[in-house]
Amino acid sequence: MARTADLAANAHLRSQFNQKNLKSDLITKNGFHKNGQRNGTANGVHFSHRARESFEQAPLYVAVLTYLGFGIVTLFGYFRDFLRAVGLEKCHLAQEREEQKDFVPLYQDFENFYTRNLYMRVRDNWNRPICSLPGPVFDLMERVSDDYNWTFRLTGRTIENVINMGSYNYLGFAENNAHFLKTVAETTKEYGVGVCSTRQEMDMQSLERMLREAVSAGQPRTHRPWKKILIVVEGIYSMEGSIVRLPEIVALKKKYKAYLYLDEAHSIGAVGSTGRGVTEHFGIDPSDVDVLMGTFTKSFGAAGGYIAGKKELIDYLRSHSHSAVYATAMSPPVAEQIIRAMKCIMGLDGTTVGIQRVRQLAENTRYFRQRLQELGFITYGSHESPVVPLLLYMPGKVGAFSRAMLERKIGVVVVGFPATPIGEARARFCVSAAHTREMLDKVLGTLDEVGDYLVLKFSRRTPSPRPELYDETDFELDS
């Protein structure tokens, strides 16, 4: 589902570029002017934001070499398939039995071809086993392959103190701090980590209400025209690092009397002056969004998620949602971790730690993005987005980049086709408030070195002046 959302978001962005015929090196989005100034009014709230989004196009020779690289590995793939067909090379992938040939195939032919001939060459860069807390640094279990990445074995050694640039630990709540986690530990001791069955399994009034509705309403299919149109968007698109154009979408939603569903998986806690997400980022009234969804696995350092909306919607979901009816309840220590993080962000714990983390994340994000631009890399997305895609383009450089970074004790996430367009493979950095300036400088220094070694600095634009840190005066109420 996440991959589908990322592909849909990317296709949406590409279509916008084609429609507007934007051919400049620096493409500004979301209504921001070229000087980085964003002005507008939404629901009586005037917002003036200095954020910019960049989607710089690579030089032509990069695109030519990228497709040439895919062409070469594809030709070798067909040659290796020939060797497998004549029995000169063993095929390690599962194959359908002869008696199943009359059924619909379980695997797409190209998907299998891509997996065995391209993905296997760089498979060692994914699913690396972590053996510590995934905080700003972590430990990896070393593994090697004796059959060209078809299988792996652990060596028993550990790669320690690797700087973590791939986890969604935006506010640094994925931590092992005895003082901060005191209430979580107490909840674990009191209730344990086990959970009970679904809350709805014992609730009779709910059963009676559902029965009455089933009798009176009947089948929902009337074959009449659609009465509701639902717009589904994400706060931050995790493959592009782009922030949704919420003011325009809200305006369209009101104009056509549609409904708006906002997924804030990557934006809640990560953007906005107090971490309240993209509605706060743009000064939008949250009541203008019909369904607000988010996760507790990223900024809150816990598990699970939430859906917010009108009381009628939430009551309906509590009675009819599959997860509410059939899934188990949330574990007590997980619930306490969420409550603890929320109180910390809102300042209800009596400290300013939460707001300091939100501001530190904004500072780290802008610093990291600005330095990447100064070093000559092409990055995508909003300058306020803690998700930072760094474009690698060529398939051979994806694996080389990931391995070179890990050798220097920096863990990164690399992404390629089909999660991205075939010519836009990238590394995706996730900035955290827990990253110190020394950690970021080490990562940037390593990127500078690896970028020169692998020839990854494709940007042709002049770096812009370093922006100021987040300023709460960016949002002002209309008089």
Side-chain angles (χ1 to χ4, degrees), residues 181-226:
L181 297 176
K182 181 179 179 181
T183 58
V184 180
E186 292 173 350
T187 301
T188 304
K189 292 178 181 178
E190 182 175 358
Y191 298 105
V193 296
V195 294
C196 62
S197 62
T198 168
R199 297 167 294 176
Q200 314 294 25
E201 195 173 50
M202 303 298 175
D203 184 0
M204 290 296 106
Q205 295 87 344
S206 174
L207 175 60
E208 184 178 2
R209 182 169 61 251
M210 292 173 66
L211 289 174
R212 283 202 302 263
E213 289 179 356
V215 171
S216 61
Q219 295 293 326
R221 298 176 182 176
T222 62
H223 301 289
R224 295 177 181 176
W226 298 109

Side-chain angles (χ1 to χ4, degrees), residues 1 25 53-54 77 85 92 96 179 181 186 217-218 228-229 250 275 288 294 318 321 324 336 350 355 371 386 389 395:
M1 183 178 296
D25 287 342
E53 290 199 355
S54 60
H92 297 267
E96 297 182 45
H179 176 71
L181 297 176
E186 292 173 350
K228 292 182 175 64
I229 299 175
V250 170
D288 287 333
R318 283 172 174 162
S321 171
E336 177 59 30
I355 193 64
R371 291 288 291 116

Side-chain angles (χ1 to χ4, degrees), residues 10 13 34 56 80 123 180 218 263 303 307 391 449 475:
N10 190 70
L13 293 173
K34 287 187 177 180
E56 183 183 357
R80 296 187 68 181
R123 188 182 172 211
F180 287 159
D263 180 357
I307 292 182
L391 276 293
E449 175 189 349
F475 301 103

Side-chain angles (χ1 to χ4, degrees), residues 7-27:
L7 290 174
N10 190 70
H12 171 69
L13 293 173
R14 298 282 81 76
S15 65
Q16 285 187 329
F17 298 160
N18 293 333
Q19 291 171 3
K20 295 184 179 180
N21 195 26
L22 297 177
K23 297 181 179 179
S24 60
D25 287 342
L26 177 60
I27 300 176

Side-chain angles (χ1 to χ4, degrees), residues 56-290:
E56 183 183 357
Q57 303 301 300
L60 179 61
Y61 78 90
V62 175
V64 172
L65 291 176
T66 298
Y67 284 100
L68 181 62
F70 273 105
I72 292 174
V73 295
T74 300
L75 289 176
F76 272 95
Y78 281 118
F79 177 67
R80 296 187 68 181
D81 277 355
F82 170 76
L83 296 180
R84 297 185 184 107
V86 298
L88 295 179
E89 182 176 337
K90 181 180 179 181
C91 182
H92 297 267
L93 281 181
Q95 295 179 321
E96 297 182 45
R97 298 171 62 179
E98 188 64 32
E99 56 266 29
Q100 293 177 315
K101 296 297 183 181
D102 295 333
F103 293 90
V104 177
L106 295 175
Y107 309 102
Q108 296 289 339
D109 183 60
F110 178 73
E111 181 179 322
N112 253 346
F113 177 87
Y114 183 88
T115 300
R116 63 179 176 264
N117 293 310
L118 282 80
Y119 172 70
M120 284 299 167
R121 293 175 177 267
V122 291
R123 188 182 172 211
D124 59 299
N125 297 289
W126 285 274
N127 304 316
R128 289 168 173 158
I130 298 175
C131 55
S132 70
L133 181 80
V137 296
F138 55 39
D139 298 336
L140 292 176
M141 301 174 69
E142 186 182 68
R143 60 179 184 173
V144 295
S145 176
D146 301 317
D147 52 8
Y148 303 102
N149 290 345
W150 287 98
T151 60
F152 294 96
R153 60 179 176 84
L154 299 176
T155 64
R157 293 188 291 270
T158 301
I159 305 175
E160 298 179 345
N161 297 322
V162 177
I163 297 180
N164 181 7
M165 296 300 297
S167 293
Y168 303 133
N169 185 26
Y170 296 127
L171 293 180
F173 280 116
E175 58 191 347
N176 189 13
N177 187 308
H179 176 71
F180 287 159
L181 297 176
K182 181 179 179 181
T183 58
V184 180
E186 292 173 350
T187 301
T188 304
K189 292 178 181 178
E190 182 175 358
Y191 298 105
V193 296
V195 294
C196 62
S197 62
T198 168
R199 297 167 294 176
Q200 314 294 25
E201 195 173 50
M202 303 298 175
D203 184 0
M204 290 296 106
Q205 295 87 344
S206 174
L207 175 60
E208 184 178 2
R209 182 169 61 251
M210 292 173 66
L211 289 174
R212 283 202 302 263
E213 289 179 356
V215 171
S216 61
Q219 295 293 326
R221 298 176 182 176
T222 62
H223 301 289
R224 295 177 181 176
W226 298 109
K227 293 184 177 180
K228 292 182 175 64
I229 299 175
L230 185 64
I231 303 173
V232 183
V233 296
E234 295 189 51
I236 292 179
Y237 290 94
S238 60
M239 285 297 167
E240 301 290 332
S242 178
I243 297 179
V244 66
R245 299 164 65 173
L246 193 59
E248 291 88 341
I249 291 177
V250 170
L252 287 174
K253 170 234 172 184
K254 291 182 176 181
K255 179 178 179 180
Y256 295 99
K257 294 181 171 48
Y259 294 82
L260 180 56
Y261 188 115
L262 174 60
D263 180 357
E264 292 224 73
H266 292 271
S267 53
I268 189 68
V271 297
S273 59
T274 61
R276 295 174 184 266
V278 292
T279 54
E280 184 180 51
H281 180 74
F282 288 110
I284 297 293
D285 188 346
S287 63
D288 287 333
V289 181
D290 300 282

